[in-house]
Amino acid sequence: DEVDNQNPVLRDNPQLHEEVKGWLKNQKVQEIFMQGPYSLNGYRVRVYRQDSATQWFTGIITHHDLFSRNMVVMNDQVHDWWKRKLSRG
């Protein structure tokens, strides 16, 4: 637990303490995305799209370039369509 349990503000406010812990966890995950040498292909993600009416969507990472850090995400609607199409033969 990297949250300072001795900090009186966090010690006296359990909800704030949990929110700070969650924020730190998210920061670590983002660091893995940005610097980690691991392929993220196949991971389910939630993506924010600023230029769309539906700003948040979920999908699966279908390509992750470890050098450029670019990722391709197939949204769930397309993924489900392909699954149905392939199951019909």
Side-chain angles (χ1 to χ4, degrees):
D1 187 329
E2 291 185 22
V3 178
D4 182 6
N5 290 322
Q6 302 305 314
N7 185 313
V9 172
L10 296 176
R11 187 179 58 235
D12 297 340
N13 189 336
Q15 182 179 354
L16 179 60
H17 184 262
E18 289 303 312
E19 288 181 27
V20 169
K21 278 176 46 176
W23 183 84
L24 286 172
K25 180 180 177 185
N26 286 337
Q27 293 302 306
K28 283 186 174 191
V29 169
Q30 288 180 17
E31 184 177 337
I32 290 170
F33 274 124
M34 299 305 292
Q35 299 174 2
Y38 314 104
S39 173
L40 299 171
N41 289 340
Y43 278 83
R44 178 164 292 286
V45 293
R46 193 166 172 229
V47 178
Y48 180 79
R49 225 171 105 177
Q50 190 171 3
D51 62 345
S52 173
T54 305
Q55 291 188 321
W56 285 100
F57 71 91
T58 57
I60 296 174
I61 298 173
T62 57
H63 176 76
H64 177 211
D65 186 310
L66 293 174
F67 297 105
S68 70
R69 302 291 183 211
N70 290 330
M71 295 179 206
V72 175
V73 176
M74 181 186 307
N75 75 31
D76 284 342
Q77 291 170 331
V78 173
H79 182 255
D80 291 345
W81 181 83
W82 273 108
K83 279 182 17 184
R84 285 192 307 273
K85 183 175 176 71
L86 292 174
S87 69
R88 291 183 198 146

